[in-house]
């Protein structure tokens, strides 16, 4: 699907979230419910609607390739999952059970059980892919090192003398040869009986042309039935009554296969854009530091120097530089900001006072 499709799906999910928040904040919902069944129905409806929102957001987060959009979408997705857990906890407290039945709610909302299945977010495995591989590698190395079998205890191997082993092998070999000999004799006797029956009944003779005609008739009927079935399947596929056959020629170009390939391509583009975004953050920061860093540094030094001079003029001596516990230079800038706001408020009060005097004089 296209980028616009997922943007539209995200907008729909945001609209649903807004409606749910307005519904939950309504005064009728805020009132305490005394009926346990009615309360459960209300919470179940919210739970199912949040599941639908979660499924949309998870699919958008998996396929949207814009890095900044994915950051915002991740916050919304995590918040939706948190709300799902809260609603699940409320339903457990109402029914005192971990398992719930939504048959009536699904029937009223015209949904199927597959519509409320909660998929595992795919970014769980994507972001932890390296840790999962390391864990699997560690487990494989551990199993290869200790070679533990299912029981955990190694059974003692039965000891056997050379003569006894030879005798067992001879017994099995004689039994095998006896079976083969018996099978061979049965086939010979069956052949002799067939020949005897044919000699008594007389061998049936058939014209070769008649025999070939019968073979052709049978084969043409079989071939035509296969062609008819194939034409019928093609017609059903054409009118949309049947899915395309899963043959090697059609499987590669099937819509579902194309969709899966497109999703994989979007995941690769997504990771590429994420790397470019992270690199751009570092590069832009370095450029700003190189271009505006000296001016910012000089302005900060001037402000600190001005603070020392103003404090000396007010107190008669230079103040001590704030320690790290006090905030360092940040404390100086906070002090100067507070003084600036106070001066602005003072000027505003003076202007108001002047206006008031003019009015009285008038």
């Amino acid at each position: 699907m296209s980028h616009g499709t997922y943007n539209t799906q995200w907008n729909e999910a945001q609209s649903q979230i807004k409606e749910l928040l307005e519904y939950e904040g309504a005064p009728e919902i805020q009132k305490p419910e005394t009926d346990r069944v009615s309360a459960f129905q209300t919470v179940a409806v919210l739970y199912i609607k949040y599941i639908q929102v979660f499924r949309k957001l998870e699919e958008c987060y998996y396929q949207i390739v814009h890095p900044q959009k994915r950051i915002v979408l991740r916050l919304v997705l995590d918040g939706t999952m948190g709300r799902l857990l809260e609603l699940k906890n409320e339903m457990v407290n109402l029914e005192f059970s971990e398992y719930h039945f939504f048959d009536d709610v699904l029937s009223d909302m015209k949904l199927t059980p597959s519509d409320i299945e909660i998929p595992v977010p795919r970014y769980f495995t994507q972001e932890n892919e390296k840790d999962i591989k390391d864990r699997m590698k560690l487990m494989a190395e551990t199993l290869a090192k200790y070679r533990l079998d299912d029981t955990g205890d190694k059974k003692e191997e039965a000891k056997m003398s050379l003569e006894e082993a030879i005798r067992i092998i001879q017994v099995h070999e004689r039994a095998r040869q006896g079976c083969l000999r018996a099978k061979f004799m049965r086939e010979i006797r069956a052949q002799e009986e067939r020949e005897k029956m044919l000699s008594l009944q007389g061998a049936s003779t058939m014209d070769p042309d008649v025999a070939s005609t019968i073979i052709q008739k049978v084969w043409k009927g079989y071939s035509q039935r296969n062609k008819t079935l194939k034409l019928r399947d093609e017609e059903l596929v054409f009118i949309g009554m049947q899915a395309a056959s899963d043959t090697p020629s059609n499987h590669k170009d099937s819509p579902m296969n194309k969709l899966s390939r497109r999703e994989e391509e979007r995941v690769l583009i997504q990771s590429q854009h994420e790397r470019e975004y992270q690199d751009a953050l570092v590069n832009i920061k370095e450029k700003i530091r190189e271009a505006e860093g000296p001016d910012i540094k000089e302005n900060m030094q001037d402000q600190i120097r001005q603070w020392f001079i103003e404090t000396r003029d007010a107190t008669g001596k230079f103040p001590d530089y704030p320690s790290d516990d006090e905030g360092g230079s940040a404390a100086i800038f906070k002090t100067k900001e507070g003084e600036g706001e106070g001066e602005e408020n003072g000027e505003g009060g003076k202007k108001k006072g002047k206006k008031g005097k003019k009015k009285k004089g008038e």
Side-chain angles (χ1 to χ4, degrees), residues 180-297:
L180 291 176
R181 190 178 295 108
K183 181 180 178 182
F184 182 66
M185 294 302 296
R186 281 198 302 270
E187 291 177 355
I188 292 175
R189 285 196 296 269
Q191 183 66 24
E192 290 177 352
E193 290 179 358
R194 283 196 298 270
E195 292 177 355
K196 186 178 180 180
M197 294 294 294
L198 289 174
S199 62
L200 294 175
Q201 295 177 359
S204 60
T205 59
M206 182 179 293
D207 188 6
D209 294 337
V210 177
S212 62
T213 303
I214 294 173
I215 294 173
Q216 289 176 5
K217 182 172 62 175
V218 173
W219 168 250
K220 286 181 179 179
Y222 173 76
S223 178
Q224 188 60 41
R225 283 192 296 272
N226 287 339
K227 289 180 181 179
T228 305
L229 290 174
K230 185 177 180 182
L231 290 173
R232 188 185 66 177
D233 293 339
E234 290 177 356
E235 183 181 1
L236 291 175
V237 171
F238 178 73
I239 63 177
M241 297 295 292
Q242 180 176 322
S245 59
D246 195 13
T247 57
S249 59
N250 295 333
H251 179 70
K252 189 175 181 180
D253 299 329
S254 64
M256 295 302 297
N257 200 19
K258 289 181 180 179
L259 179 62
S260 62
R261 287 202 303 269
R262 182 59 181 161
E263 288 181 352
E264 293 174 359
E265 291 174 1
R266 293 178 73 93
V267 171
L268 294 176
I269 297 172
Q270 187 183 100
S271 59
Q272 180 182 353
H273 287 187
E274 183 66 26
R275 286 195 299 270
E276 293 176 357
Y277 173 68
Q278 296 298 331
D279 294 339
L281 290 178
V282 177
N283 295 334
I284 292 173
K285 187 176 181 180
E286 292 296 329
K287 288 180 180 179
I288 293 175
R289 182 176 296 172
E290 293 175 0
E292 302 181 7
D295 295 338
I296 295 174
K297 183 178 179 181

Side-chain angles (χ1 to χ4, degrees), residues 63-295:
Q63 288 295 299
I64 285 180
V65 298
H66 199 291
Q68 288 95 332
K69 286 183 180 179
R70 295 185 79 247
I71 293 174
V72 179
L73 189 55
R74 175 66 179 274
L75 295 175
V76 181
L77 181 59
D78 291 342
T80 305
M81 289 191 291
R83 184 57 181 153
L84 277 175
L85 294 176
E86 293 175 354
L87 294 173
K88 175 67 175 179
N89 185 42
E90 290 184 17
M91 290 191 297
V92 171
N93 293 333
L94 287 171
E95 284 201 333
F96 305 105
S97 174
E98 293 283 344
Y99 304 97
H100 313 289
F101 300 95
F102 303 112
D103 300 343
D104 298 339
V105 181
L106 291 177
S107 178
D108 295 339
M109 299 177 70
K110 298 181 180 179
L111 298 175
T112 61
S114 60
D115 293 330
I116 61 171
E117 290 181 358
I118 302 179
V120 177
R122 281 163 281 195
Y123 71 84
F124 282 0
T125 55
Q126 284 182 342
E127 296 180 356
N128 301 319
E129 186 176 1
K130 186 176 181 299
D131 296 336
I132 293 173
K133 288 183 178 179
D134 293 341
R135 191 183 303 118
M136 297 299 294
K137 183 179 178 182
L138 178 62
M139 292 177 62
E141 291 176 353
T142 304
L143 292 175
K145 181 178 179 181
Y146 291 101
R147 298 283 183 185
L148 297 176
D149 51 1
D150 296 337
T151 58
D153 298 330
K154 294 184 178 180
K155 299 180 180 179
E156 290 188 10
E157 297 181 357
K159 296 181 179 180
M160 185 183 298
S161 62
L162 181 61
E163 293 79 6
E164 188 176 359
I166 293 173
R167 185 179 63 80
I168 293 174
I169 293 172
Q170 289 176 345
V171 169
H172 284 280
E173 180 63 22
R174 287 170 183 166
R176 187 184 69 83
Q177 292 180 3
C179 292
L180 291 176
R181 190 178 295 108
K183 181 180 178 182
F184 182 66
M185 294 302 296
R186 281 198 302 270
E187 291 177 355
I188 292 175
R189 285 196 296 269
Q191 183 66 24
E192 290 177 352
E193 290 179 358
R194 283 196 298 270
E195 292 177 355
K196 186 178 180 180
M197 294 294 294
L198 289 174
S199 62
L200 294 175
Q201 295 177 359
S204 60
T205 59
M206 182 179 293
D207 188 6
D209 294 337
V210 177
S212 62
T213 303
I214 294 173
I215 294 173
Q216 289 176 5
K217 182 172 62 175
V218 173
W219 168 250
K220 286 181 179 179
Y222 173 76
S223 178
Q224 188 60 41
R225 283 192 296 272
N226 287 339
K227 289 180 181 179
T228 305
L229 290 174
K230 185 177 180 182
L231 290 173
R232 188 185 66 177
D233 293 339
E234 290 177 356
E235 183 181 1
L236 291 175
V237 171
F238 178 73
I239 63 177
M241 297 295 292
Q242 180 176 322
S245 59
D246 195 13
T247 57
S249 59
N250 295 333
H251 179 70
K252 189 175 181 180
D253 299 329
S254 64
M256 295 302 297
N257 200 19
K258 289 181 180 179
L259 179 62
S260 62
R261 287 202 303 269
R262 182 59 181 161
E263 288 181 352
E264 293 174 359
E265 291 174 1
R266 293 178 73 93
V267 171
L268 294 176
I269 297 172
Q270 187 183 100
S271 59
Q272 180 182 353
H273 287 187
E274 183 66 26
R275 286 195 299 270
E276 293 176 357
Y277 173 68
Q278 296 298 331
D279 294 339
L281 290 178
V282 177
N283 295 334
I284 292 173
K285 187 176 181 180
E286 292 296 329
K287 288 180 180 179
I288 293 175
R289 182 176 296 172
E290 293 175 0
E292 302 181 7
D295 295 338

